[in-house]
Amino acid sequence: MSRVTTKIAVVGLGYVGLSMAVLLARHQDVVGVDLDESRLDTLRRGTSPIHDADITRFLADEDLSLTFTSDGDRAYRDAEFVIIATPTNYDEVTNYFNTTSVDSVIADVLRVAPGATMVIKSTIPVGYVDEVRERFDTTNVIFSPEFLREGRALHDNQHPSRIVVGENSDRARRFAELLVKGADADDVPLLFTEPTEAEAIKLFANTFLAMRVAFFNELDSFAASRGLSTREIIDGVGLDPRIGSHYNNPSFGYGGYCLPKDTRQLLANYSEVPQNLIHAIVEANTTRKDFVAADILRLAPRVVGIHRLLMKAGSDNFRESSVQGIMKRIKAEGVPVVVYEPDVGAEHLDANGTFFGSPVFSDLAAFKAAADVIVANRMSPDLDDVSDKVYTRDLFGSD
């Protein structure tokens, strides 16, 4: 007897969309849509184009009802739900998320399948769903924020801390039930809100995480400036159960897809609202990079080596990684910088094969020999033999 399934299209196969497609394809019929043909070819071979061990394993081993296409019209036509997970990068010029990719998908779905429910998983500004419903004259757009870690996106979908859907309706509950069915966790907290409240939940959650990163980084800057033990101070502070010992490892600053753009977007939404804290969180990231770069320069390095460009361990994302800000500050003082990054693709290099003018090594031994100070946002066992020249603020070996 064949199983009764829901037909779902997932648009945008980055870490959010692909993890969602894999999760739902365990029990539903899912079509993944992306415009990048090379990415689609990789997926059709059963290989993940992003760094996520669980996605890699599921694509290879799980019995998934999952196909891939660049033909959005075909995918939308029979879909009950269209999940939109396209990029919404922060636009420095307009001080707003660039939602043109989401707008485009909505227009295409309304043209081909106006009865489908569109669920936005992309990060969007507060008020976007109300605005887009009016602009497109449709009620078939809802928002469900994601709370995923890069490199652990499928795991976080399988074991969700909560599921939030920005609508209190039968279709919202049905969508939440599909997520729960694909998960491996019982008693997942479900929250159904108005659209704008769901949008605000996403931005405030990420801003709170950025605030926590900024707090422990400033604690570390204080301790380092006075020759104190950061580890002992953090251990003591974390013993307070209201604070806890999680998400407390000093770093070079927050980075990646979500935290930088979400904090800046939230700050933009506060343009006519009295506030101090949100602005301070954004500024704290810049201050931290200034401190770390100055601390490195106090070592009087001849050549600084950057060990990995990645945003964090377990990720393959370079976007807005904090170490890039450190690089820029060091180079601005005239100190040469070299990079060890075995996974850097040609698309990240300039015409001379460098990363913003810095030579890139794929040979670790040659990299170690080239630099007299090696900068590592997170310590790695492959640096143990040169630990005497490694600069890091990593205390706990975690993100």
Side-chain angles (χ1 to χ4, degrees), residues 52-53 58 60 108 111 114 128 133 141 153 204 222 230 254 300 337 347 365 368 396:
D52 188 302
F58 270 57
D108 289 343
R111 173 176 51 80
Y128 176 79
R133 284 178 173 180
V141 178
F204 273 101
F222 177 89
T230 299
Y254 57 80
V337 173
E347 69 274 12
K368 291 175 180 177
F396 299 98

Side-chain angles (χ1 to χ4, degrees), residues 4 9-10 65 72 74 87-88 112 115 117 121 153 165 168 196 199 231 251 263 273 297 299 320 327 336 376 394:
V4 177
V10 179
S65 180
R74 181 176 68 82
T88 52
V112 176
T117 298
K121 280 287 180 180
V165 186
N168 194 353
T196 306
E199 293 160 349
R231 177 67 181 260
S251 66
T263 52
V273 179
L297 290 169
L299 302 174
E320 294 205 42
M327 287 178 61
D394 181 11

Side-chain angles (χ1 to χ4, degrees), residues 84 86-88 96-107 118-136 138 141-143 195-200 203 265 269:
I84 303 173
T86 55
T88 52
Y96 220 59
F97 283 124
N98 183 343
T99 58
T100 54
S101 66
V102 179
D103 293 346
S104 178
V105 175
I106 292 172
M118 290 165 274
V119 182
I120 300 173
K121 280 287 180 180
S122 306
T123 303
I124 53 178
V126 175
Y128 176 79
V129 168
D130 284 347
E131 184 275 326
V132 84
R133 284 178 173 180
E134 181 177 354
R135 175 155 48 98
F136 285 98
T138 181
V141 178
I142 62 179
F143 175 62
T196 306
E197 280 74 3
E199 293 160 349
L203 292 186
Q265 176 60 61
N269 285 144

Side-chain angles (χ1 to χ4, degrees), residues 1-71:
M1 182 177 177
S2 61
R3 64 179 183 175
V4 177
T5 60
T6 301
K7 295 187 180 300
I8 301 169
V10 179
V11 193
L13 299 177
Y15 81 96
V16 174
L18 184 56
S19 64
M20 184 64 55
V22 170
L23 178 89
L24 292 169
R26 302 177 77 183
H27 303 289
Q28 317 303 328
D29 292 330
V30 179
V31 179
V33 182
D34 202 282
L35 298 178
D36 188 333
E37 289 292 348
S38 64
R39 174 170 293 228
L40 293 174
D41 288 343
T42 299
L43 287 165
R44 290 178 185 126
R45 293 193 299 270
T47 303
S48 174
I50 63 176
H51 186 83
D52 188 302
D54 291 314
I55 290 177
T56 299
R57 177 170 54 84
F58 270 57
L59 288 174
D61 300 333
E62 285 276 323
D63 181 19
L64 302 176
S65 180
L66 179 58
T67 58
F68 302 101
T69 184
S70 59
D71 185 351

